């Protein structure tokens, strides 16, 4: 019997497999995000995406702009691509309608802009790592992945910890490595639609989570404007955060030409100076490290 998964395996590069895994886990990426994260040029990226599309490994759609014209192609996993990913991970094959459901989900989703914003945060990190050989994005876990039982525990952790279900829903988790420094972090991607008090209350859930797993990692609030960041920092100054918090503003970063890997982060309770993502390693704590040092 001709197995399409086996037939296509020899045509895939390591970069193709990374991309398929991202689409399977994170839903949707634009051609610009994919090019920045994985390819040396947009033209090279688009040629490869057309090949993957012809092989029925990825699907695509192109939203229309309200003022005319269209956005770049948005890519999602196709059914064969989902089966390739599952086979590579030694997981059960996805449902036969997996790709159709995912495509419908994102073409009609009101949360598409938010998901693309979160994914842009991580593809910006991946793109920075692609051009800076001393750093890498070691892990990228989706919002849904963060909710899986035991995802942040280690062998030997108590069963209660492995089964713990957090009350907070991060927009993503990452592991950033720079030289010998490793920084695990959670991201809260803010669009400005929630009151600042809601953002601050999320820190209660993070404190409970960190207390359960015996680790403390920075929580990054990636805000849409410098004005909103100033307002959040004012609130945090009045009510000191329960966990390490760093804030950054997307418009500020774009103005100065920096990405989330660079000096765009201000630690709550600090002097206001901007730190790189790697600098935030100073706020990583692991209570289970026998040496008592801050480690990832």
């Amino acid at each position: 019997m001709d197995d399409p998964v086996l037939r296509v395996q020899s045509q895939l590069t390591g970069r193709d497999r990374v991309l398929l895994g991202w689409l399977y886990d994170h839903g949707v990426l634009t051609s610009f995000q994919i090019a920045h994260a994985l390819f040396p040029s947009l033209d090279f990226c688009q040629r490869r995406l057309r090949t993957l599309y012809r092989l029925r490994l990825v699907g695509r759609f192109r939203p229309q702009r309200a003022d005319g014209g269209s956005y770049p192609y948005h890519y999602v996993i196709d059914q064969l691509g989902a089966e390739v990913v599952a086979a590579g991970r030694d997981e059960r094959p996805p449902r036969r309608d997996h790709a159709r459901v995912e495509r419908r989900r994102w073409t009609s989703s009101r949360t598409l802009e938010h998901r693309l914003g979160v994914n842009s945060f991580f593809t910006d990190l991946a793109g920075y790592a692609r051009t800076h050989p001393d750093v890498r994005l070691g892990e990228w876990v989706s919002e849904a992945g963060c909710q899986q039982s035991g995802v942040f525990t280690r062998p030997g952790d108590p069963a209660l910890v492995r089964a713990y279900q957090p009350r907070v829903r991060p927009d993503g988790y990452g592991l950033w490595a720079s030289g010998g420094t490793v920084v695990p972090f959670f991201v809260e991607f803010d669009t400005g639609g929630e009151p600042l008090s809601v953002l601050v209350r999320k820190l209660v859930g993070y404190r409970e989570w960190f207390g359960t797993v015996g680790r403390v990692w920075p929580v990054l609030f990636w805000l849409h404007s410098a004005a909103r960041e100033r307002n959040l920092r004012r609130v945090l100054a009045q009510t000191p955060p329960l966990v390490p918090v760093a804030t950054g503003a997307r418009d500020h970063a774009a103005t100065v030409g920096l990405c989330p890997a660079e000096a765009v982060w201000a630690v709550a309770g600090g002097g206001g100076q901007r730190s790189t993502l790697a600098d935030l390693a100073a706020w990583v704590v692991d209570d289970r490290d026998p040496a008592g040092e801050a480690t990832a």
Side-chain angles (χ1 to χ4, degrees):
M1 180 180 296
D2 184 23
D3 186 337
V5 173
L6 295 177
R7 187 178 66 245
V8 79
Q9 293 285 1
S10 63
Q11 302 180 61
L12 295 176
T13 67
R15 178 165 47 200
D16 295 337
R17 296 180 189 279
V18 170
L19 173 58
L20 293 178
W22 283 357
L23 292 176
Y24 189 78
D25 292 335
H26 305 291
V28 58
L29 293 166
T30 70
S31 54
F32 291 146
Q33 290 173 334
I34 296 168
H36 178 62
L38 295 173
F39 288 84
S41 72
L42 178 61
D43 182 62
F44 184 11
C45 173
Q46 290 173 329
R47 292 200 304 271
R48 189 58 187 165
L49 287 172
R50 285 194 291 270
T51 298
L52 298 178
Y53 178 71
R54 287 196 298 269
L55 291 171
R56 303 183 69 96
L57 291 162
V58 301
R60 65 187 186 185
F61 63 95
R62 201 166 192 173
Q64 299 298 306
R65 295 181 182 272
D67 55 354
S70 59
Y71 289 97
Y73 275 120
H74 291 44
Y75 284 84
V76 294
I77 198 75
D78 208 341
Q79 188 66 29
L80 179 57
E83 292 172 4
V84 166
V85 173
R89 296 176 178 178
D90 198 23
E91 297 175 352
R92 295 177 59 183
R95 300 187 316 270
R96 293 182 179 180
D97 64 346
H98 177 89
R100 179 177 60 81
V101 171
E102 282 294 292
R103 182 185 179 94
R104 179 183 298 173
R105 176 186 181 188
W106 295 116
T107 54
S108 61
S109 175
R110 291 182 295 177
T111 62
L112 175 61
E113 182 178 357
H114 182 267
R115 175 56 64 94
L116 287 174
V118 175
N119 290 353
S120 181
F121 178 94
F122 285 96
T123 54
D124 281 349
L125 290 180
Y128 184 87
R130 180 177 59 80
T131 56
H132 294 76
D134 58 327
V135 300
R136 66 184 180 89
L137 178 61
E139 292 184 41
W140 172 12
V141 181
S142 67
E143 176 186 353
C146 288
Q147 300 303 305
Q148 294 179 6
S149 177
V151 67
F152 297 115
T153 61
R154 297 176 295 202
D157 282 341
L160 178 61
V161 174
R162 293 196 299 272
Y164 173 73
Q165 293 294 323
R167 291 193 298 150
V168 67
R169 296 184 66 89
D171 290 317
Y173 163 87
L175 188 70
W176 185 246
S178 177
T181 300
V182 179
V183 186
F185 61 88
F186 286 117
V187 174
E188 290 285 344
F189 184 88
D190 176 64
T191 60
E194 294 179 316
L196 295 177
S197 58
V198 173
L199 302 187
V200 174
R201 283 199 298 271
K202 292 181 180 181
L203 300 178
V204 176
Y206 280 109
R207 181 179 63 172
E208 179 185 280
W209 195 350
F210 293 149
T212 300
V213 300
R215 302 173 191 94
V216 178
W217 303 325
V219 178
L220 310 183
F221 284 99
W222 193 224
L223 302 138
H224 74 91
S225 72
R228 184 161 169 88
E229 183 191 12
R230 286 193 297 271
N231 291 334
L232 176 59
R233 292 183 62 79
R234 189 175 300 116
V235 174
L236 292 172
Q238 297 169 355
T239 306
L242 304 169
V243 298
V245 171
T247 63
R250 299 192 290 279
D251 63 350
H252 165 74
T255 299
V256 298
L258 299 178
C259 81
E262 299 175 283
V264 297
W265 301 107
V267 177
Q273 68 273 16
R274 298 287 172 174
S275 301
T276 67
L277 183 54
D279 292 334
L280 301 182
W283 282 267
V284 175
V285 176
D286 189 337
D287 289 342
R288 302 182 186 198
D289 174 33
E293 299 175 352
T295 59

